[in-house]
Amino acid sequence: MMLETMVLGLSVAPALAFVQWQAMRPLSAWARVALLSVAVVPLYLLFAGLLVIASALATRALGWRSPVGITARLTEFEWPVLTWGRYLMTIHVVRVFAGPAFRASPIWSWYLRLNGARVGRLVWVNSLSVMDHNLLEFGDNVVVGADVHLSGHIVERGMLKTARVTLGPGTVIGTGSVVGIGVTTGPDVQVGALSVIPKHTTLEGHASYAGIPVQRLH
């Protein structure tokens, strides 16, 4: 909570400084309203951009990352579980405040990279349900569709399990699909909308898949 309070405070400070500055200017009421109305969107984008940077740099400096390949009981608050929880909390705050502005843009891909993911060139992520960034690896030209659930963790019977997820170059994950932990795709894989890729599944490259669970189409 202390970290998020500081990160949010630093990020919103320039916007508040602008509001304070215009309040001290000799402007009429209508001019003040007009100025603030025009400034709302730029100030929000400034806040969101600073939040992306500050949050990612903070987690990097503190070493907060999702542990790789663990199986731990959630009720036992060991350091790997606590570190995972802190890391996901920072990701959640960014996706709530900055995600709506930057999703499916180069800025969002850059944030994922800055926050620990391995992201290639021309990667487009149009989902806010992407977690455990340091456990994700996306090759060049990967597209993650809207509302895709993709993370490096799963909770089963009170046990936290983590594993890396690797999407090969040219992979396209359709809208609303679910990608399990430990999934690996070859190059140029197409996954249809609303599909489920079970955990620890390997999809061969240059093929299309769909279904629950996914089946190869051709």
Side-chain angles (χ1 to χ4, degrees):
M1 292 299 295
M2 290 178 60
L3 174 68
E4 292 306 314
T5 298
M6 294 176 60
V7 168
L8 286 168
L10 290 172
S11 302
V12 80
L16 294 180
F18 175 84
V19 173
Q20 180 66 21
W21 171 82
Q22 66 83 30
M24 299 174 61
R25 308 299 297 174
L27 301 173
S28 67
W30 285 108
R32 200 178 309 281
V33 169
L35 180 60
L36 286 175
S37 299
V38 172
V40 166
V41 172
L43 290 177
Y44 165 64
L45 292 177
L46 175 62
F47 158 70
L50 292 175
L51 177 62
V52 162
I53 297 171
S55 179
L57 292 180
T59 58
R60 181 184 292 266
L62 293 172
W64 291 358
R65 292 290 187 263
S66 294
V68 181
I70 71 164
T71 299
R73 190 172 299 279
L74 284 176
T75 55
E76 298 175 1
F77 293 100
E78 300 175 349
W79 280 114
V81 176
L82 292 175
T83 299
W84 167 78
R86 294 188 185 104
Y87 186 45
L88 261 63
M89 178 184 68
T90 64
I91 293 174
H92 177 68
V93 170
V94 172
R95 71 178 184 175
V96 167
F97 290 103
F102 297 141
R103 61 187 292 180
S105 76
I107 294 177
W108 198 242
S109 298
W110 177 78
Y111 161 64
L112 297 178
R113 184 182 297 112
L114 186 64
N115 205 40
R118 297 179 180 178
V119 180
R121 298 174 297 173
L122 300 177
V123 170
W124 301 93
V125 179
N126 190 26
S127 175
L128 300 182
S129 298
V130 176
M131 308 295 286
D132 305 290
H133 297 162
N134 67 296
L135 300 182
L136 308 180
E137 182 174 351
F138 301 156
D140 296 342
N141 303 301
V142 164
V143 176
V144 177
D147 301 320
V148 167
H149 185 278
L150 192 158
S151 73
H153 81 271
I154 191 172
V155 178
E156 294 179 330
R157 298 180 181 179
M159 302 296 292
L160 169 67
K161 302 177 181 179
T162 66
R164 296 189 181 277
V165 176
T166 302
L167 303 183
T171 293
V172 176
I173 306 296
T175 300
S177 295
V178 177
V179 181
I181 66 172
V183 165
T184 300
T185 71
D188 299 319
V189 164
Q190 308 286 317
V191 177
L194 304 177
S195 298
V196 174
I197 309 176
K199 61 182 180 180
H200 303 297
T201 297
T202 298
L203 301 182
E204 296 181 359
H206 309 288
S208 298
Y209 300 82
I212 304 175
V214 291
Q215 300 293 328
R216 182 166 180 162
L217 301 180
H218 61 78

